Amino acid sequence: MSVWSQSAAYARQFSFTRDYFRSPLTVGEARALVEQTLAVRAESFLQIADRFFYANPANPYHKLLNYAGIDAAKLRLLVEQNGLEGALSRLFDAGVYITLDEFKGRCPVSRPGLEFKVSGTDFNNPTAGSGVQWSSSGSRGNATQYASRKEVLTFAAAYLTLMTEAFGLHERIYMGWRPETFTFLMIYIKSGKAAERWFTQRRWSRTTEGYRTIGLELLNLLAARTSGRRSAWPKFVDRQNAIAVARWVAGQKRKRGRLSVIDTNVTSAVRVCIVSAEKNLDIAGTIFRIGGEPYTPGKAKILESAGASAINFYGMTEYNWPALGCAAPKSPDDMHLATDRLAFVTKPRVVGAGAEVDAIYITNTLATNSKLTLNVEAGDYGRIEERDCGCLWSELGLRQHIMNLRSYEKLTSEGVTFTGGDLFHLLDEVLPARFGGSPIDYQILEEEDSGLPKVSILVAPAIGPVEEADVITTVLETLEKSPHGGSRLMADQWRQGRTLRVIRREPYTTKGSKILPLHVLRDSPLGATPGS
């Protein structure tokens, strides 16, 4: 990129950010945005179909709709007669859906009598304007770059504004500790809650790209200040240095009598609570705004033991936040689906040797995201139910709840796929109860040794002495008792092949600071150093 084009890009970014910050959202504006969008979701979806699918023969959804014999008039009739979710379910049964591998461009779209190649860019929204650049976490493969439109950021800010109202957080101080920096700072500033401290888990690299990123950060903060908004400058704090976060939070409570809201991921929240207990730091009353990983009962217990709690959001870069933490939850991960912007259907999917889950498929009902989706597989499963819980989200009309959200997309080893629920139960509950420690002290690692898979159980050194045979026996016996055939088959494969071993080291983390239950190293030597 030439100096002139780079300068022009910086100028556009500065103008965009300054205009975005001029007027923080009020609670009334945030409520109106959600209610108005929810009221027109079905018609909005039909307009997306008319504008982007039916008008473009090259569009993958056009080809699938044509394959199913659903023209625009039939689609409208389906929605009118069955409701939006009912229509989407019928479209799915007719072959109108996209698997996760198809959405990522890893394989062609294939249906009986139909096959065509696709790439990830085929699902781009051609009207997505420029804005803040961000990327996916890369926890399911290479990180994907996205351009975030002003409308997407505004919805995110509206959700945070309403979260503050729903949970009564007006008097709290906000801070962050996550790999991403300015995108989240922008959202909080727009919601009227500028972060008083922001720790970033991403170290600035001394490369051209690193200096470019720092330049954009400085530019954005300058734009914020010229529009009358202030926020903390991000400071690097390594993901292993949770003590720095805990000390700051405890210090704010002790010196100023103020409780904190910490925006971070699930693993990092657990780290803060563990180190607080170890160092006798009082963080009781702290609330973590978390996402990016399943919030399991085992992890919830760690937060509760520190006197903390969590507001769990379901985060996916392609959809911003598909689900929002309930203020009157039935379970730790009880969330409201964001049906103002998205539609959800679940369909049975076999993910192992007889293991069937209710796989989630998501559809955009607003043309604001950088991707256009119609029954796109999320790679996750969970229990969806409709109920009026009485909290603010329900009052606004978001009455679909989701609980027990887990991933199945990456949990494959030795050619066998098994459900994430079994691994989370093993790593979050069984192993900590048997050998001590917390859920973030254990992980299953698959590597290749001379072309053959070798599966290791990673046990953090802080656990202390453990017998390798006892750990392996506990893992195998737990999976053998699973009701899911895939997990039982996995245990049988591991036992027959004498595949399992124990390695004493910290679990691997992703670029997004998540600890996945199963981490796969490809073309890496055994005993590789920690990495993403």
Side-chain angles (χ1 to χ4, degrees):
M1 183 179 290
S2 69
V3 174
W4 288 111
S5 57
Q6 183 70 74
S7 299
Y10 281 162
R12 288 193 299 270
Q13 180 74 19
F14 181 86
S15 177
F16 171 87
T17 308
R18 184 183 56 190
D19 292 344
Y20 179 76
F21 282 145
R22 287 193 187 281
S23 54
L25 282 174
T26 66
V27 173
E29 289 170 338
R31 290 179 64 110
L33 181 63
V34 172
E35 290 174 331
Q36 292 168 7
T37 307
L38 186 62
V40 298
R41 63 194 296 263
E43 182 58 35
S44 178
F45 164 73
L46 291 171
Q47 291 178 6
I48 290 173
D50 286 341
R51 182 180 181 186
F52 297 105
F53 307 157
Y54 288 114
N56 181 10
N59 186 277
Y61 303 120
H62 178 104
K63 297 175 182 179
L64 288 173
L65 288 164
N66 183 63
Y67 166 78
I70 307 293
D71 60 19
K74 287 183 179 179
L75 181 60
R76 180 171 291 275
L77 187 61
L78 273 177
V79 172
E80 291 173 352
Q81 292 179 340
N82 302 280
L84 181 54
E85 280 75 14
L88 291 172
S89 181
R90 287 174 175 261
L91 288 176
F92 183 98
D93 294 340
V96 183
Y97 62 88
I98 293 291
T99 69
L100 192 57
D101 282 340
E102 292 166 351
F103 189 63
K104 298 292 186 179
R106 300 169 185 158
C107 68
V109 174
S110 181
R111 307 288 181 269
L114 175 71
E115 183 169 306
F116 57 91
K117 292 182 179 180
V118 287
S119 68
T121 58
D122 289 336
F123 303 98
N124 286 354
N125 180 354
T127 64
S130 61
V132 173
Q133 300 293 317
W134 58 3
S135 67
S136 66
S137 64
S139 60
R140 291 176 173 170
N142 294 329
T144 304
Q145 298 297 320
Y146 296 93
S148 176
R149 302 184 68 191
K150 184 186 296 185
E151 294 91 337
V152 175
L153 295 172
T154 300
F155 266 99
Y159 293 148
L160 290 181
T161 301
L162 294 170
M163 179 193 77
T164 299
E165 182 76 6
F167 288 85
L169 307 178
H170 298 285
E171 301 304 317
R172 287 179 175 256
I173 54 177
Y174 283 68
M175 64 92 64
W177 186 38
R178 52 170 55 252
E180 308 90 337
T181 52
F182 199 74
T183 300
F184 279 85
L185 286 177
M186 286 185 70
I187 295 170
Y188 273 101
I189 293 172
K190 185 67 174 179
S191 71
K193 282 290 183 181
E196 295 202 18
R197 183 60 58 93
W198 197 271
F199 296 136
T200 176
Q201 297 172 347
R202 181 180 64 182
R203 187 189 298 274
W204 307 121
S205 61
R206 295 184 177 181
T207 63
T208 301
E209 181 60 26
Y211 288 124
R212 176 181 175 275
T213 301
I214 293 174
L216 284 173
E217 299 281 350
L218 288 169
L219 191 72
N220 287 325
L221 285 173
L222 177 62
R225 297 201 171 199
T226 59
S227 64
R229 313 290 168 226
R230 289 180 177 270
S231 185
W233 170 253
K235 176 184 178 182
F236 175 70
V237 173
D238 185 85
R239 65 189 64 160
Q240 299 294 335
N241 192 18
I243 185 64
V245 180
R247 283 176 176 154
W248 188 86
V249 172
Q252 292 298 309
K253 182 179 179 181
R254 183 181 68 254
K255 298 175 184 177
R256 301 172 61 188
R258 300 188 70 186
L259 297 176
S260 299
V261 176
I262 304 178
D263 193 299
T264 190
N265 55 50
V266 178
T267 298
S268 296
V270 171
R271 291 186 197 275
V272 172
C273 291
I274 290 173
V275 76
S276 297
E278 291 174 348
K279 302 298 183 181
N280 295 316
L281 296 172
D282 179 14
I283 66 166
T286 299
I287 293 178
F288 292 89
R289 208 292 301 172
I290 57 174
E293 305 165 70
Y295 186 45
T296 61
K299 293 183 174 70
K301 287 180 182 178
I302 299 294
L303 269 65
E304 291 167 5
S305 67
S309 59
I311 304 172
N312 187 41
F313 277 35
Y314 178 22
M316 295 180 72
T317 306
E318 295 89 345
Y319 306 102
N320 186 10
W321 287 317
L324 318 159
C326 180
K330 288 174 60 176
S331 66
D333 68 343
D334 187 358
M335 295 174 285
H336 291 258
L337 292 174
T339 50
D340 53 331
R341 301 177 299 108
L342 304 166
F344 304 80
V345 296
T346 59
K347 290 291 180 177
R349 188 186 192 281
V350 176
V351 296
E356 188 175 270
V357 299
D358 291 327
I360 298 168
Y361 295 81
I362 305 179
T363 299
N364 287 118
T365 59
L366 277 182
T368 56
N369 284 5
S370 58
K371 297 286 185 178
L372 296 173
T373 61
L374 170 56
N375 281 340
V376 171
E377 182 183 19
D380 300 317
Y381 67 98
R383 179 162 61 89
I384 295 177
E385 64 178 39
E386 185 157 339
R387 78 175 191 276
D388 185 353
C389 65
C391 85
L392 178 59
W393 302 118
S394 185
E395 178 187 332
L396 292 171
L398 307 182
R399 298 191 179 94
Q400 287 188 30
H401 291 247
I402 186 166
M403 291 169 283
N404 303 326
L405 184 66
R406 301 290 184 269
S407 171
Y408 58 80
E409 194 259 330
K410 284 200 70 163
L411 306 183
T412 301
S413 179
E414 293 206 0
V416 180
T417 301
F418 52 116
T419 63
D422 286 336
L423 272 196
F424 282 112
H425 171 64
L426 172 67
L427 301 175
D428 284 20
E429 301 176 38
V430 176
L431 292 181
R434 174 70 174 80
F435 301 102
S438 72
I440 64 172
D441 291 320
Y442 300 92
Q443 187 179 56
I444 303 295
L445 173 73
E446 181 178 279
E447 303 170 282
E448 286 190 4
D449 184 7
S450 301
L452 296 175
K454 190 68 178 178
V455 179
S456 305
I457 307 160
L458 302 188
V459 181
I463 296 299
V466 295
E467 289 292 333
E468 179 175 1
D470 290 345
V471 176
I472 292 173
T473 298
T474 300
V475 170
L476 293 175
E477 289 181 349
T478 300
L479 293 178
E480 285 168 344
K481 294 176 183 177
S482 168
H484 299 116
S487 295
R488 296 195 301 272
L489 179 58
M490 181 69 70
D492 182 61
Q493 294 280 336
W494 285 347
R495 190 184 290 278
Q496 288 183 44
R498 297 181 180 179
T499 306
L500 290 182
R501 67 174 183 173
V502 173
I503 293 180
R504 303 306 303 275
R505 56 149 292 166
E506 296 291 336
Y508 285 81
T509 57
T510 69
K511 293 178 181 178
S513 299
K514 307 171 190 176
I515 295 180
L516 301 176
L518 175 67
H519 186 85
V520 181
L521 286 180
R522 297 302 185 199
D523 302 320
S524 298
L526 294 176
T529 56
S532 298

